[in-house]
Amino acid sequence: MDKSKKKKRGMTFIPYDYEAAFNKSINDLHEYFVEQMLKNRFKCVYALKEIRAGEQFEVEIYPEFKKMDDVPVEGRIKRDNSKAQKNLNDKNARKYVERLLNENFGDSDIWVTLTYGAGKEPQDMNEAVKNMQNYIRRVNYQRKKRELPPAKYIYITEWSPDAEIRWHHHLVMDGLLDMDTVESTWKKGRRNETRRLDKDEYGLTGLSNYITKEKDRKKGEKRWNSSQNLKQPRIRKVHSKRPLASSGTYKPIGKYVDGFVRDAETIREQMLKWYPEYDFTDSGVYYNDFNGMFYIRARMRKRRNKDDTKAGKTTQPNRHEDSHDTGGRLNGSHGSDNGKKTAMFRGRKWCSKTVEPTNRNWI
């Protein structure tokens, strides 16, 4: 057997749910026990995963294993363990939606809530999806008449069997088509709402958390769908890095972990050295006392140039007949920018806010 192939096979690691496996915050652990874990931890290889999605940049550092028995019980995945597999699938799906949103949509795009009038509600999820497919076809027909490309979109269908939540759809769509047409093309109900997106320091993470809630979802039921013309997040995994972005000797990722665990501030410092084109947002360190291993995550955001910073936010071309540039924010609804609503996602929470046309700094 070829030696290179044998070595490559020996470096094969098993997939597992590392977020479930390492779900205890290091902040809740006394520093004495932290030191004991560092001294006596299980020997393994650490991986660093980079996820780029639009202006958002995520880093995940986690241990890799060759045998499932070495994985903390909470993170073990077996094909016959439907609950564990479903939890991982759901978690990965929510991450994927968040990253698709951040990769493909921005402040000039729109957030739409589509509702059903009395007697027009779908009977099941299949009918609801068909309603959205018909709606998207009509939207694309309107776009074609205006010589616009097919819509870029992600939508989620929400409902509760006990009627606590009535059938409705949340839709994120590129903003090339005017909002009046987007709303009037929906024929199933009139209590709809369309507004501009407005990113915060977490991008569109708050929106993603809001629209991917798992309330009353049936097993195997997919509630979200997207167009096929979306750009995919860029994911890269490495096992070693230089101390600086482009200089120094490569070191295993595990060599950096001890410092991150002992002092969380070093995470920020090292991230800025590795990725100088990004600004640091937040980070966290988590552990599992099963084998003394750690999981580290960090989030960053693409640094804007001086001109963008001075203006407040990156402005985009006024592509809509109903949008107005108000100091970098594209606000407005239905042809006016005078105090109309914009979708606001502050941190991880969603809210709506009336925005006056004034120059405001990006936060």
Side-chain angles (χ1 to χ4, degrees):
M1 182 183 292
D2 185 85
K3 289 184 178 180
S4 62
K5 290 184 179 180
K6 186 176 181 180
K7 183 178 180 180
K8 187 175 182 181
R9 180 180 296 178
M11 289 294 287
T12 300
F13 301 103
I14 60 171
Y16 73 101
D17 187 349
Y18 47 82
E19 287 185 322
F22 304 97
N23 55 12
K24 302 175 184 176
S25 173
I26 200 72
N27 295 331
D28 300 328
L29 193 63
H30 191 280
E31 61 183 40
Y32 169 80
F33 295 105
V34 173
E35 288 298 328
Q36 293 303 308
M37 290 174 65
L38 288 171
K39 290 179 181 179
N40 302 300
R41 65 180 177 175
F42 183 81
K43 302 298 182 183
C44 71
V45 173
Y46 271 90
L48 182 148
K49 186 182 292 185
E50 303 169 343
I51 307 102
R52 289 176 169 84
E55 295 180 341
Q56 293 296 111
F57 181 69
E58 300 170 67
V59 173
E60 296 179 333
I61 299 175
Y62 55 94
E64 291 195 307
F65 306 98
K66 296 179 181 179
K67 298 184 299 181
M68 190 63 75
D69 289 343
D70 293 334
V71 176
V73 176
E74 298 89 337
R76 295 178 185 178
I77 298 297
K78 295 182 180 179
R79 292 299 173 185
D80 59 351
N81 187 341
S82 59
K83 183 177 180 180
Q85 189 65 54
K86 176 181 178 297
N87 289 340
L88 181 59
N89 291 343
D90 289 345
K91 187 182 299 181
N92 288 339
R94 291 194 295 273
K95 279 186 175 182
Y96 184 57
V97 170
E98 175 188 342
R99 291 162 183 168
L100 276 181
L101 285 168
N102 281 309
E103 177 68 23
N104 291 278
F105 301 98
D107 294 336
S108 62
D109 300 317
I110 57 175
W111 150 266
V112 188
T113 298
L114 301 171
T115 62
Y116 288 86
K120 296 184 179 181
E121 299 92 345
Q123 297 300 307
D124 53 31
M125 185 61 67
N126 288 333
E127 184 179 348
V129 170
K130 287 181 180 178
N131 290 340
M132 283 300 291
Q133 290 173 340
N134 291 333
Y135 168 70
I136 294 296
R137 279 195 287 268
R138 291 195 296 271
V139 166
N140 281 332
Y141 172 73
Q142 295 295 332
R143 293 170 69 101
K144 187 175 181 179
K145 288 201 306 182
R146 294 161 173 79
E147 299 183 346
L148 297 173
K152 294 170 57 177
Y153 63 84
I154 297 175
Y155 72 82
I156 189 113
T157 300
E158 191 173 3
W159 72 297
S160 172
D162 58 9
E164 179 185 346
I165 301 176
R166 298 184 62 180
W167 285 96
H168 64 280
H169 307 276
H170 295 303
L171 169 72
V172 179
M173 182 185 291
D174 73 79
L176 289 174
L177 186 61
D178 68 274
M179 291 192 285
D180 279 327
T181 302
V182 168
E183 210 169 289
S184 64
T185 303
W186 177 253
K187 306 298 182 182
K188 297 290 184 178
R190 295 185 177 182
R191 299 186 63 182
N192 308 308
E193 189 170 20
T194 306
R195 55 183 73 187
R196 295 284 173 207
L197 295 177
D198 190 2
K199 288 186 175 182
D200 66 6
E201 63 179 324
Y202 296 95
L204 296 177
T205 297
L207 168 60
S208 173
N209 291 340
Y210 180 76
I211 69 176
T212 56
K213 298 188 297 292
E214 293 297 319
K215 185 177 178 60
D216 296 319
R217 188 174 70 84
K218 296 179 181 179
K219 181 179 179 180
E221 180 182 70
K222 180 184 176 182
R223 294 191 175 187
W224 72 274
N225 291 276
S226 65
S227 57
Q228 296 182 355
N229 55 356
L230 298 181
K231 295 180 181 179
Q232 296 298 309
R234 292 143 292 163
I235 301 177
R236 174 175 175 260
K237 186 175 76 170
V238 299
H239 292 96
S240 63
K241 286 189 76 67
R242 299 175 176 180
L244 299 176
S246 58
S247 64
T249 303
Y250 281 94
K251 296 196 302 184
I253 297 302
K255 295 292 186 181
Y256 297 96
V257 170
D258 287 16
F260 295 159
V261 172
R262 288 190 173 98
D263 184 1
E265 180 60 26
T266 61
I267 301 176
R268 177 183 181 278
E269 294 171 357
Q270 188 60 60
M271 293 298 156
L272 293 174
K273 292 177 181 178
W274 279 340
Y275 314 106
E277 71 275 25
Y278 290 88
D279 287 322
F280 182 84
T281 302
D282 62 58
S283 65
V285 180
Y286 307 89
Y287 74 97
N288 189 299
D289 46 22
F290 170 78
N291 52 15
M293 293 287 96
F294 300 93
Y295 160 63
I296 299 163
R297 61 153 192 86
R299 189 186 298 267
M300 305 182 78
R301 185 173 176 82
K302 188 75 173 180
R303 180 171 296 125
R304 300 177 185 273
N305 60 45
K306 293 181 180 180
D307 292 338
D308 292 337
T309 303
K310 186 179 295 184
K313 288 186 71 172
T314 299
T315 58
Q316 300 192 28
N318 188 351
R319 302 179 300 178
H320 315 275
E321 60 191 63
D322 64 335
S323 66
H324 299 263
D325 185 0
T326 60
R329 293 181 184 270
L330 285 168
N331 302 326
S333 176
H334 308 300
S336 172
D337 66 343
N338 188 16
K340 296 298 182 179
K341 288 184 177 179
T342 298
M344 311 287 284
F345 304 99
R346 293 290 171 252
R348 300 182 183 274
K349 296 182 179 180
W350 181 92
C351 64
S352 64
K353 183 177 180 179
T354 300
V355 186
E356 296 299 332
T358 182
N359 187 17
R360 300 170 62 191
N361 290 330
W362 177 82
I363 59 175

